[in-house]
């Protein structure tokens, strides 16, 4: 049942996932009690499904159950880091930014340690995800320098993994950083530099008709507006609107 639970999560069939997770939890609990290590994965999986259905309080309960068992049994660094990140996401969605930042920082600390001890030359993308999530939190609470710092860290990792392929996760990350430079620093030159770096490669690879390109043009419009280049700002805004219509 837990395998089906995980599979349905990957397929975004969250109601089915929850049903299979509950069956798995029931069977394991009946056989081994409430604190057996076999409960860790189904607890985490049902937490992910509940989180995806915006049941954040309930998801936190399951993540905390999984974390408690993990900390008292195998103590696997990657699993603990993932659960800390899961908790950070749920608290963030509840606008509990203090709690969210604590969990993201805990996740980051473990992931950085894993990277330091790893023989590979580059950190895993999961670290970029946690950096980015923490950057969003810092932006929301007005810590603008930290927001830019952590989003830049996330972008650096994505660039290492993407190499020259300009995958869409990298595009979204760099576009978001451009927005932050204009909103938080009023730095239209840095904003334009970040966007110019990705615009042509992305449109060449994917064409114009994807949301990421629309967002790039919308960001260009905003940057040009802040630079008092209103004609260019209007041109980019119209291009973004045309893409949205198609």
């Amino acid at each position: 049942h837990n395998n089906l639970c995980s599979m349905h999560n990957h397929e975004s069939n969250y109601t089915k996932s929850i049903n299979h997770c509950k069956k798995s939890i029931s069977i394991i609990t009946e056989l081994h009690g409430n604190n057996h290590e076999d409960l860790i994965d189904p607890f985490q999986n049902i937490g992910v499904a509940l989180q995806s259905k915006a049941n954040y309080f309930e998801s936190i309960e399951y993540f905390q159950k999984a974390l408690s068992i993990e900390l008292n049994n195998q103590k696997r660094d990657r699993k603990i880091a993932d659960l800390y990140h899961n908790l950070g996401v749920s608290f963030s969605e509840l606008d509990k930014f203090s709690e969210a930042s604590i969990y993201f920082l805990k996740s980051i600390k473990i992931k950085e340690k894993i990277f330091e001890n790893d023989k590979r030359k580059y950190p895993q993308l999961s670290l970029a995800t946690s950096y980015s999530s923490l950057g969003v939190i810092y932006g929301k609470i007005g810590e603008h320098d930290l927001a830019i710092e952590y989003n830049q860290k996330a972008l650096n990792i994505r660039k290492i993994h993407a190499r020259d392929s300009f995958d869409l996760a990298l595009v979204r990350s760099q576009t978001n950083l451009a927005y932050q430079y204009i909103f938080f620093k009023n730095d239209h030159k840095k904003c334009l530099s970040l966007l110019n770096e990705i615009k042509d490669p992305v449109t060449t690879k994917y064409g114009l008709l994807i949301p990421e390109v629309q967002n790039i043009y919308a960001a260009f419009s905003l940057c040009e507006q802040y630079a008092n280049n209103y004609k260019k700002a209007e041109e980019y805004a119209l291009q973004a609107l045309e893409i949205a219509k198609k």
Side-chain angles (χ1 to χ4, degrees), residues 1-211:
H1 283 292
N2 185 55
N3 288 337
L4 289 170
C5 172
S6 179
M7 181 191 75
H8 286 304
N9 268 347
H10 287 298
E11 295 174 349
S12 301
N13 294 323
Y14 300 117
T15 299
K16 289 183 178 179
S17 174
I18 290 168
N19 289 336
H20 284 291
C21 284
K22 286 182 175 179
K23 289 177 182 178
S24 177
I25 290 167
S26 177
I27 293 168
I28 295 168
T29 301
E30 186 175 340
L31 290 172
H32 304 294
N34 296 321
N35 294 301
H36 195 271
E37 60 187 0
D38 286 351
L39 287 167
I40 295 168
D41 285 344
F43 277 156
Q44 184 178 23
N45 283 329
I46 196 171
V48 169
L50 290 165
Q51 186 183 80
S52 300
K53 289 174 70 67
N55 295 330
Y56 302 118
F57 285 109
E58 197 173 355
S59 74
I60 288 169
E61 291 179 14
Y62 280 105
F63 291 141
Q64 287 177 333
K65 286 179 180 180
L67 181 62
S68 177
I69 297 172
E70 183 65 40
L71 289 172
N72 286 298
N73 285 276
Q74 298 186 56
K75 300 180 181 177
R76 295 166 292 180
D77 284 343
R78 293 184 190 277
K79 176 63 73 173
I80 294 168
D82 286 344
L83 286 165
Y84 281 145
H85 183 88
N86 293 147
L87 284 162
V89 172
S90 287
F91 277 111
S92 175
E93 292 293 342
L94 292 169
D95 291 342
K96 294 182 178 292
F97 301 131
S98 177
E99 292 92 334
S101 64
I102 289 170
Y103 282 114
F104 285 137
L105 282 167
K106 286 184 175 183
S107 180
I108 286 168
K109 185 177 180 180
I110 295 172
K111 289 175 181 178
E112 287 178 337
K113 180 182 175 183
I114 291 171
F115 169 55
E116 288 173 6
N117 297 329
D118 202 331
K119 294 180 180 179
R120 281 171 287 196
K121 296 179 180 179
Y122 48 86
Q124 295 297 294
L125 283 170
S126 65
L127 179 56
T129 302
S130 293
Y131 279 152
S132 180
S133 297
L134 184 59
V136 170
I137 296 296
Y138 281 137
K140 288 182 177 180
I141 64 176
E143 295 284 355
H144 297 156
D145 288 339
L146 287 171
I148 289 173
E149 176 187 338
Y150 277 94
N151 277 288
Q152 184 65 63
K153 286 182 176 183
L155 179 59
N156 291 343
I157 294 173
R158 294 191 189 284
K159 283 185 174 181
I160 292 170
H161 281 268
R163 304 187 190 280
D164 294 323
S165 66
F166 287 94
D167 68 84
L168 294 179
L170 184 154
V171 173
R172 289 189 290 269
S173 183
Q174 188 148 329
T175 306
N176 289 339
L177 189 60
Y179 274 118
Q180 289 184 330
Y181 268 103
I182 200 67
F183 283 131
F184 299 159
K185 295 289 190 179
N186 197 18
D187 189 342
H188 68 272
K189 290 183 179 180
K190 183 65 174 178
C191 177
L192 290 171
S193 174
L194 286 164
L195 295 173
N196 279 316
E197 186 180 317
I198 58 175
K199 179 172 74 74
D200 289 342
V202 171
T203 54
T204 298
K205 181 174 182 179
Y206 298 102
L208 290 172
L209 304 181
I210 60 171

